[in-house]
Amino acid sequence: MKNIRMSQGIANLLMTGVLTSAICFAQPPRSADASVEQKVDSLVRLMTLEEKLGQLNQLSGQWDEKLKRQVLTDEERDLVKKGRIGSYLNVVGADATRDFQRVAVEESRLHIPLLFGLDVIHGFRTIFPVPLAEACTWDPALVERAARVAAIEATAAGVHWTFAPMVDIARDPRWGRIMEGSGEDPYLGAAMAAARVRGFQGRDLSNPTSLLACAKHFAGYGGAESGRDYNIAQISARTMHEVYLAPFKAAVDAGVGSFMSAFNEINGVPATAARFIMTDVLRNEWGFKGFVVSDWGAVEELMNHGVAATREEAGRLALNAGVDMEMVSRIYEKDLPAAVREKRLSQVAVDESVRRVLRAKFKLGLFDDPYRNCDTSLAKKVTLTKEHRDLARIAAQKAIVLLKNEKNLLPLRKEIKRVAVVGPLAADTFHPLGGWNAQGSKDDVVSVFDGIARKVSPRTKVLYHRGCEIEGDSGYNAQAAVKIVRQADAAIVVVGEGLDMSGEAASRSNLDLPGKQKEFVKAIVATGKPVVLVLMSGRPLTIPWEAENVPAILEAWFLGVEAGNAIADVLFGDVNPSGKLSATFPRSVGQIPIYYNYKNTGRPFEEKNHFTSRYLDVPNTPLYPFGYGLSYTTFSYSNLHVTNPILKAHEDVKVSVDVTNTGTRIGEEVVQLYIRDEVASVTRPVKELKGFQRVSLNAGEKKSVEFVVKHDELGFYNLEMKRVVEPGWFKVMVGGNSVDVIEIRFELQEK
Ligand code: NOJ
């Protein structure tokens, strides 16, 4: 059936006589790229202006309550037939995409397939830890495998393209979208960005399990002033290049197929209209060959920004800046045809954008098989498999960060007689999914209570009380929870944010435990029982009281479907925690933005000198620094060595360090390497991460860990905004977090 339909489509095109080279599959192309270019050129020559702008038009699928899936409305069916829609987002399920695709490839003049996009951010149905948590694994290979699983599941449900990875650097935990990225550091962020691109896209986009990736949001979105979503970003050119752009560049180098422009403005220019970033940097400097999609409605929003007076003007600005495809505001489709006809917009610019979109469709193999992801029997077989869940559990285990463990309260013994599991998130199966959870279902999630109940000995009594709600003060009943805690040998208090308290449009000005939860924790601690706090959140929270008064704290973020199992694995010692923070925990909101790679200032803090950079009411230091995380064992660092301490031009730096497991059990340590350029022509951060490795060490074992820091990694953008490496002295710092490091110096010589 499929082949007959396809060949009819092809036959029709052949009759036009123009597309012969485009569909002459029998002839082996000189190279894959050249062949794609020929096909794209031929197709563009056949297209009307409306069909061209149609390829740049993306709409969102409409839900049909009866069919329980997205359907084409009458208006949209007509538009698809006319070739005036090139892509859909939010159409999910092979049955739905097959229906949509059928209209495009069988009822439109040129039979150009639709491209289906979706936010597959941390899993499709098998939900993995939220990206901020996944970054705490400091394990790019694992993150790549997680993205691969997401791609396998999403493509089986008709999806071709994910709006991920989100690679925005965030130094402000008030910003809810910090949850969707890899935290505050450009180096870790770049490693995670590349890993996710590789995982989503696989080796070859034409493989049916390959999911086209999209690096977003380009650029500076994470710099939203005051942490308020969609707000403006004031970012210097140097910080932009060195901090915010680094993970985007890594995504390009990893072969990412698409980009999404950001909602925010950068220094007076809305990203959606920022040619200097989308064309000068992305295409001309970095050589990106894919296409750029706008964010939702962002082209139209250029009018709100106050840089366009009309829809048409907004459309022209965006397209000329480099936004190839427009998400949902339908300006390209409705307002740009006249602009081109009346010569206010260049046909050449439109053609170039169309080429980029068609290229992606060819590379995905959609012209060879537009139904490549429409096999309705596949999803069941490859979704939420045991193998996928197992991987989600490993990712969740490694993402957990042990923040405090006074007197080795953890791990708990499985033979404990009675354990109380309390708090609004203790038995919850919805919130561990985290925001942007695609097709995640709470029915798939293991709660902390269930994870613990499965873990402990059959003789252990697991007691439960909810105690309070996540937000608000209704249903507050600390007393009842206290009563059961009193009967127990230890209490596990599971508190935090709801999943909708981070993510898009979810900024907070107060990062304490919300609602009555703080009071609740205090009531439980007041029982005098051993208390373990398990935090779920999409961002660092301000927990100074808890850090002072609760003996053990686990940051468990939103860990996905295996949350409860992974948390129980760590609580009861089957897994030794090894996660390290991907973002700094402030002591108070007043310290924000707070990050480890700050600048020294002319008056760095000195205890005895009042006129140094400080607050009157809070230390400068964070509550928990970037890279921090405890283990049930301890590690020591010694013998830090630079093999070539007098470095010549262009030489890489070779560093070795001995890491010893000084405790009594096997554990994994994330060994982190930071550098500082001591004196340079522009000020440099006090520390910059330039390498990390995860090593496993048996009790008492010592390993030599070696790093090679590429010469270019010592560089920065100088006054002329050229990337340079300047001679002089550098510090190398190595340790298990960004604060507790040992250090050594080396000199880079002029010649
Ligand atoms: C808006 C968000 O900013 C973006 O990240 C997302 O991909 C789109 N909506 C589509 O859902």
Side-chain angles (χ1 to χ4, degrees):
M1 187 67 158
K2 184 184 88 186
N3 289 340
I4 294 168
R5 281 175 177 160
M6 273 306 292
S7 54
Q8 271 171 356
I10 290 166
N12 290 345
L13 291 174
L14 269 172
M15 279 166 63
T16 64
V18 188
L19 196 56
T20 321
S21 63
I23 43 111
C24 196
F25 304 119
Q27 268 176 20
R30 259 171 312 166
S31 78
D33 280 356
S35 134
V36 166
E37 284 318 300
Q38 275 179 6
K39 292 173 187 174
V40 167
D41 281 344
S42 309
L43 193 46
V44 170
R45 259 181 261 131
L46 290 176
M47 296 169 82
T48 64
L49 178 59
E50 276 70 16
E51 284 166 339
K52 287 176 181 173
L53 288 162
Q55 283 307 303
L56 312 183
N57 182 28
Q58 182 185 59
L59 298 192
S60 180
Q62 303 294 316
W63 182 254
D64 183 291
E65 200 39 54
K66 255 196 243 133
L67 292 177
K68 297 278 179 230
R69 64 172 171 81
Q70 293 80 15
V71 292
L72 280 168
T73 62
D74 290 344
E75 187 211 356
E76 287 174 19
R77 179 177 300 273
D78 190 49
L79 285 172
V80 173
K81 280 186 190 169
K82 289 184 174 139
R84 296 187 64 168
I85 299 177
S87 171
Y88 267 93
L89 77 154
N90 300 333
V91 178
V92 192
D95 49 350
T97 56
R98 170 174 283 274
D99 264 19
F100 280 57
Q101 198 64 297
R102 198 188 48 72
V103 179
V105 297
E106 293 173 31
E107 297 182 31
S108 74
R109 189 176 76 92
L110 294 175
H111 318 280
I112 302 175
L114 292 165
L115 182 67
F116 296 104
L118 185 76
D119 291 280
V120 182
I121 307 294
H122 52 109
F124 178 74
R125 177 77 189 257
T126 304
I127 301 300
F128 286 80
V130 294
L132 184 68
E134 253 187 14
C136 293
T137 66
W138 295 57
D139 190 341
L142 176 64
V143 168
E144 180 176 336
R145 283 163 70 204
R148 188 88 286 275
V149 164
I152 289 168
E153 295 190 357
T155 51
V159 181
H160 303 138
W161 177 26
T162 175
F163 305 124
M166 191 278 214
V167 305
D168 295 312
I169 295 295
R171 294 170 153 187
D172 190 332
R174 292 173 297 184
W175 191 54
R177 302 200 79 168
I178 191 173
M179 173 279 281
E180 295 170 54
S182 297
E184 74 187 40
D185 183 65
Y187 187 88
L188 180 63
M192 292 297 157
R196 291 200 172 98
V197 169
R198 288 193 300 267
F200 287 134
Q201 295 194 162
R203 255 184 242 125
D204 176 2
L205 279 178
S206 68
N207 185 307
T209 68
S210 286
L211 191 60
L212 183 71
C214 179
K216 72 184 188 185
H217 306 82
F218 201 54
Y221 189 33
E225 202 171 85
S226 353
R228 208 182 68 223
D229 204 10
Y230 315 122
N231 203 359
I232 68 164
Q234 310 267 17
I235 301 171
S236 75
R238 183 166 302 105
T239 305
M240 189 60 144
H241 272 86
E242 292 175 0
V243 178
Y244 289 90
L245 294 188
F248 287 102
K249 171 71 165 56
V252 171
D253 293 344
V256 71
S258 72
F259 260 57
M260 184 186 291
S261 56
F263 280 129
N264 56 286
E265 73 156 69
I266 319 150
N267 307 333
V269 185
T272 312
R275 192 177 161 84
F276 65 91
I277 199 119
M278 268 181 299
T279 298
D280 298 351
V281 173
L282 180 60
R283 297 191 185 286
N284 299 344
E285 214 180 289
W286 295 351
F288 174 66
K289 296 273 184 289
F291 72 97
V292 176
V293 65
S294 81
D295 205 339
W296 182 287
V299 177
E300 191 170 25
E301 287 169 17
L302 290 177
M303 293 192 289
N304 290 342
H305 280 285
V307 295
T310 62
R311 281 171 57 89
E312 186 201 295
E313 198 183 349
R316 279 192 278 123
L317 272 177
L319 194 118
N320 283 330
V323 175
D324 303 303
M325 183 184 280
E326 183 196 17
M327 191 186 286
V328 307
S329 42
R330 295 179 71 170
I331 290 179
Y332 285 17
E333 171 213 341
K334 291 183 175 168
D335 302 81
L336 291 193
V340 175
R341 285 211 173 87
E342 290 154 30
K343 306 254 179 297
R344 289 185 296 278
L345 176 66
S346 125
Q347 175 75 65
V348 177
V350 172
D351 285 2
E352 197 43 49
S353 289
V354 175
R355 276 203 181 85
R356 290 175 187 144
V357 171
L358 291 177
R359 220 172 265 143
K361 292 185 177 182
F362 273 110
K363 286 192 172 163
L364 282 163
L366 287 173
F367 283 91
D368 296 333
D369 180 7
Y371 298 109
R372 67 164 226 176
N373 298 112
C374 298
D375 173 356
T376 47
S377 67
L378 184 62
K380 251 207 183 106
K381 291 181 215 146
V382 301
T383 305
L384 207 68
T385 60
K386 169 157 186 326
E387 202 191 340
H388 292 182
R389 288 198 75 120
D390 288 349
L391 189 66
R393 184 161 176 170
I394 294 170
Q397 290 164 346
K398 293 198 175 187
I400 293 170
V401 184
L402 178 63
L403 296 177
K404 186 179 176 190
N405 194 18
E406 209 171 77
K407 296 193 193 132
N408 292 330
L409 172 58
L410 289 175
L412 299 173
R413 290 179 317 112
K414 289 181 196 162
E415 293 70 33
I416 188 169
K417 277 207 185 106
R418 287 197 182 89
V419 60
V421 186
V422 298
L425 291 159
D428 182 80
T429 56
F430 174 63
H431 297 285
L433 289 169
W436 291 115
N437 54 51
Q439 299 285 293
S441 160
K442 72 182 184 44
D443 300 337
D444 305 333
V445 175
V446 180
S447 72
V448 178
F449 179 88
D450 284 342
I452 290 173
R454 287 177 197 174
K455 179 69 69 183
V456 290
S457 83
R459 289 167 302 283
T460 302
K461 274 218 160 113
V462 187
L463 313 168
Y464 164 75
H465 201 281
R466 186 175 172 90
C468 67
E469 296 304 313
I470 296 171
E471 289 184 272
D473 44 21
S474 70
Y476 187 66
N477 196 351
Q479 263 185 345
V482 161
K483 210 166 151 191
I484 71 147
V485 168
R486 287 224 168 90
Q487 299 161 25
D489 303 300
I492 294 159
V493 187
V494 193
V495 291
E497 299 183 310
L499 65 69
D500 52 354
M501 297 179 75
S502 59
E504 191 178 350
S507 297
R508 295 179 67 201
S509 70
N510 177 333
L511 300 183
D512 292 352
L513 283 172
K516 301 273 275 185
Q517 294 186 85
K518 214 166 152 178
E519 204 178 313
F520 177 69
V521 174
K522 285 184 177 170
I524 303 297
V525 170
T527 61
K529 293 281 178 176
V531 175
V532 180
L533 198 66
V534 175
L535 289 174
M536 288 189 191
S537 65
R539 57 157 66 79
L541 298 173
T542 47
I543 48 163
W545 186 91
E546 294 81 349
E548 185 71 36
N549 297 286
V550 186
I553 306 176
L554 279 190
E555 174 58 65
W557 313 107
F558 297 123
L559 293 177
V561 287
E562 288 290 329
N565 283 335
I567 291 167
D569 290 337
V570 168
L571 287 174
F572 291 89
D574 284 343
V575 166
N576 190 349
S578 59
K580 302 276 188 172
L581 294 179
S582 53
T584 302
F585 269 54
R587 293 173 192 274
S588 81
V589 166
Q591 294 179 306
I592 295 171
I594 182 168
Y595 43 89
Y596 84 94
N597 45 355
Y598 58 89
K599 303 282 187 78
N600 206 35
T601 81
R603 293 193 176 188
F605 173 73
E606 277 174 47
E607 185 68 55
K608 295 203 176 88
N609 187 349
H610 181 72
F611 292 98
T612 55
S613 187
R614 68 165 76 213
Y615 298 100
L616 293 178
D617 53 350
V618 67
N620 288 1
T621 56
L623 189 61
Y624 299 114
F626 173 77
Y628 173 85
L630 301 173
S631 160
Y632 294 153
T633 187
T634 45
F635 300 98
S636 81
Y637 288 77
S638 59
N639 214 5
L640 177 59
H641 228 72
V642 176
T643 324
N644 45 350
I646 312 275
L647 208 67
K648 300 273 164 1
H650 308 302
E651 222 182 310
D652 298 339
V653 192
K654 299 190 185 86
V655 179
S656 71
V657 68
D658 288 346
V659 185
T660 312
N661 181 340
T662 47
T664 52
R665 59 164 75 211
I666 184 172
E668 286 188 20
E669 168 74 323
V670 178
V671 183
Q672 302 161 40
L673 180 147
Y674 299 86
I675 63 146
R676 177 176 184 178
D677 185 340
E678 292 183 358
V679 179
S681 56
V682 295
T683 60
R684 303 304 305 147
V686 296
K687 255 172 218 152
E688 293 177 271
L689 182 72
K690 294 295 173 187
F692 60 86
Q693 280 180 49
R694 225 175 209 282
V695 288
S696 176
L697 292 165
N698 289 316
E701 194 186 359
K702 184 203 279 192
K703 267 187 192 162
S704 168
V705 180
E706 287 172 11
F707 291 93
V708 176
V709 181
K710 292 263 170 234
H711 190 81
D712 179 65
E713 292 284 2
L714 305 175
F716 57 88
Y717 285 79
N718 70 5
L719 282 171
E720 287 81 44
M721 283 305 292
K722 275 214 198 93
R723 197 166 165 89
V724 292
V725 181
E726 289 182 349
W729 284 93
F730 289 78
K731 233 187 235 173
V732 178
M733 295 155 273
V734 177
N737 65 62
S738 62
V739 169
D740 303 311
V741 290
I742 55 173
E743 56 183 65
I744 194 169
R745 297 169 81 212
F746 69 88
E747 188 184 9
L748 168 60
Q749 291 196 336
E750 205 87 42
K751 290 251 156 57

